[in-house]
Amino acid sequence: MTSPQQTPESHDHSHGPGHDPGPPHEHGHGPAHGHGRSHGRGSSHGHDAGHGPGHAHGHSHGHGPAAPVSRHLRKVIAAVLIPFATAVVVGLVVLWPGGTPAHERTGVGFDRQTEQGEVVSVEQVDCKSVNAAQVPPTGDTSTPEGREAVAAQQGECEKATIEVTSGPEKGRTFTEIVQPDAPRQLHEGQGVVVAYAPDAPHDLQYSVTDVNRKVPLAVLAGIFAIAVVVVGRMKGVMALVALAMSFLVLTFFILPAILQGSNPLIVAVVGSSAIMLIALYMCHGLSARTSVAVLGTLISLLLIGLLGSLFIGWASLSGNTDDSTGLIHGLYPEIDMSGLLLAGVIIGSLGVLDDVTVTQTSAVWELHQADPGMGPRALYRAGIRIGRDHIASVVNTLVLAYAGAALPLLLLFSIAQSSMGTVANSELVAEEIVRTLVGSIGLVAAVPVTTVLAALVVSADRTDADGLPVTGGRKTTAVRGGRRRRAK
């Protein structure tokens, strides 16, 4: 007997002997009412409502892990991904550099021998006494040069004594004069990075080049790792391991291989594919859902590579636009700088692509689990509605990330009062525009591509004679109200 408030479509009843449902909406009439809800995440809830002995309610909400696809579909996915993973491994073996090539240091920019040091003492001195060799100022303070010259003669300078704390001359001291308008001021006990020029005169062999920031950076990295593990738990741990593996691939394969003279585009594709496989499967498990995300990411990366190659060549972007790229080109003239630019576009887009493809695949899987009767077209329509919101936020994120990185450059153009056309046409800005738009096109394309793949895979599962999906050896029976029961 079923009360009007409890229809068969809503609950799965099992009545033992002597069942007395009692009046509707009335609790507390019996000692042993068991109300169990299966949420699909391993959680259960027990309530003593007391309708009578032997009365049990069972709910299946389908919010648990996505059911595995059939063995046939797993074979199809493996037939695609195993050759791809094999090609990546072969590429790693063939292109493996075996280390960064050696070269003679030029002493320019980052290409300098450095040691660690510590500021032993700092004293105030008259700038005029330590800047006697400079040309006396003209008194004109309307230009930056005039203001610097006046400060160099009339201001208070700092005379810092630095002790070298590493290297063959550990314990040696030297003095460093810090001008009053210098962006980096020194204080006693501060750790610094010193450049060593062995060919210079003895008193000029050491100079301070930067501040030692290892401690604050290490503390910040520790806070980040703790936050990821506390919130993400085991998945957070796996994400950190995948991050470390990504840095290893970047450090020991991508960078040395490019310096050895390998094609930057090929190296970037092989290295990015390796990072993608390691990160996605390590973080999300070896499953059909992850495999679909891998396929969507791969297709989007290929699109980014093709568009990047086309527009970098069409826009005549050399990739040699600042001091760092100029130094690289000077040290290794055989490196294709435009190819290096394209490699950076591909690697920079990979992290955001992973996020988009995994999210879309998970959304489609959850939609199918909530309503197994949805076909591929309905799944695609529902998934793409989720994807449109994702597109808007991700594209905005990518554009703002590149704009933030190029903010000092944009400020310089603003100071010069250059028109937008002039700013966009300069190679420095055009490079960022191409990088941003090519990456954004790949991200936008990843949404429909991944949604289509996920909808086709998850809805093409093996069916039984009744046309119902078979999952894990059991038939899934759809019932009204969005719930379903497992038929053994």
Side-chain angles (χ1 to χ4, degrees):
M1 178 176 179
T2 306
S3 64
Q5 287 78 15
Q6 295 174 336
T7 63
E9 291 82 356
S10 302
H11 300 283
D12 182 16
H13 295 272
S14 175
H15 303 291
H19 166 69
D20 181 14
H25 301 298
E26 186 174 313
H27 300 276
H29 298 287
H33 170 78
H35 188 167
R37 299 186 179 187
S38 174
H39 293 267
R41 297 187 186 277
S43 61
S44 62
H45 305 279
H47 303 282
D48 291 333
H51 289 279
H55 181 94
H57 295 252
H59 299 260
S60 178
H61 294 276
H63 297 302
V69 295
S70 65
R71 181 178 299 177
H72 172 70
L73 278 178
R74 288 199 296 269
K75 288 181 178 179
V76 172
I77 294 173
V80 176
L81 289 177
I82 289 178
F84 168 63
T86 304
V88 171
V89 173
V90 171
L92 288 172
V93 172
V94 172
L95 298 173
W96 193 263
T100 304
H103 73 280
E104 293 185 4
R105 292 187 179 273
T106 62
V108 178
F110 290 102
D111 193 36
R112 290 182 287 186
Q113 182 178 341
T114 58
E115 302 291 350
Q116 300 299 312
E118 183 179 347
V119 181
V120 178
S121 63
V122 178
E123 59 177 310
Q124 299 290 329
V125 295
D126 185 7
C127 285
K128 189 174 182 178
S129 64
V130 294
N131 294 325
Q134 293 190 1
V135 178
T138 61
D140 182 11
T141 58
S142 61
T143 63
E145 293 82 2
R147 288 192 293 270
E148 290 177 6
V150 170
Q153 292 294 320
Q154 299 178 0
E156 286 290 325
C157 294
E158 291 182 345
K159 183 178 180 181
T161 301
I162 315 296
E163 180 182 355
V164 180
T165 58
S166 66
E169 294 190 303
K170 180 179 179 181
R172 176 178 168 179
T173 60
F174 65 96
T175 58
E176 181 86 7
I177 303 300
V178 182
Q179 304 295 332
D181 57 347
R184 180 178 58 246
Q185 300 293 319
L186 302 179
H187 57 82
E188 189 173 335
Q190 184 178 27
V192 293
V193 179
V194 299
Y196 175 55
D199 297 332
H202 185 269
D203 293 339
L204 302 176
Q205 287 181 334
Y206 286 95
S207 62
V208 176
T209 61
D210 210 341
V211 174
N212 191 332
R213 304 180 180 89
K214 292 181 180 179
V215 173
L217 292 180
V219 171
L220 182 59
I223 295 173
F224 164 73
I226 292 172
V228 170
V229 172
V230 168
V231 177
R233 299 186 180 180
M234 183 53 64
K235 279 206 169 185
V237 173
M238 298 309 296
L240 292 176
V241 174
L243 180 62
M245 295 294 291
S246 299
F247 272 106
L248 290 177
V249 173
L250 183 66
T251 304
F252 292 100
F253 172 71
I254 295 179
L255 299 180
I258 292 175
L259 292 177
Q260 290 279 17
S262 299
N263 187 293
L265 177 58
I266 297 177
V267 171
V269 170
V270 174
S272 298
S273 300
I275 291 173
M276 174 182 65
L277 291 172
I278 293 170
L280 287 180
Y281 283 116
M282 188 171 288
C283 293
H284 305 286
L286 191 65
S287 65
R289 178 191 293 194
T290 308
S291 299
V292 171
V294 169
L295 289 175
T297 305
L298 175 62
I299 294 172
S300 302
L301 277 179
L302 292 175
L303 177 61
I304 289 174
L306 291 174
L307 287 176
S309 178
L310 172 63
F311 284 95
I312 287 175
W314 193 4
S316 300
L317 298 177
S318 66
N320 188 1
T321 54
D322 56 23
D323 294 339
S324 298
T325 54
L327 180 59
I328 292 172
H329 184 65
L331 294 174
Y332 299 94
E334 68 278 4
I335 292 179
D336 180 10
M337 299 304 295
S338 61
L340 185 63
L341 172 62
L342 179 57
V345 173
I346 293 174
I347 295 172
S349 303
L350 177 62
V352 190
L353 270 178
D354 288 352
D355 173 54
V356 171
T357 55
V358 168
T359 301
Q360 285 304 115
T361 306
S362 297
V364 173
W365 241 262
E366 292 298 330
L367 287 168
H368 174 73
Q369 195 170 359
D371 186 0
M374 293 180 69
R377 182 171 297 181
L379 284 171
Y380 174 78
R381 289 175 178 172
I384 204 68
R385 285 195 293 269
I386 299 172
R388 290 190 184 106
D389 291 334
H390 206 183
I391 287 172
S393 60
V394 166
V395 170
N396 195 44
T397 299
L398 193 63
V399 171
L400 289 180
Y402 283 125
L407 194 59
L409 176 64
L410 297 178
L411 283 175
L412 287 176
F413 281 111
S414 178
I415 292 171
Q417 297 182 351
S418 302
S419 65
M420 289 299 296
T422 302
V423 172
N425 189 66
S426 66
E427 185 170 0
L428 276 171
V429 177
E431 198 174 276
E432 298 300 329
I433 291 175
V434 171
R435 193 196 309 268
T436 302
L437 296 183
V438 167
S440 298
I441 291 171
L443 292 176
V444 171
V447 172
V449 167
T450 309
T451 305
V452 166
L453 289 174
L456 291 175
V457 169
V458 78
S459 62
D461 206 355
R462 186 172 51 191
T463 57
D464 65 357
D466 299 326
L468 294 171
V470 176
T471 304
R474 294 179 295 176
K475 180 174 68 178
T476 301
T477 305
V479 297
R480 286 186 292 172
R483 298 184 177 95
R484 65 185 185 279
R485 292 178 296 173
R486 297 285 191 184
K488 296 186 178 179

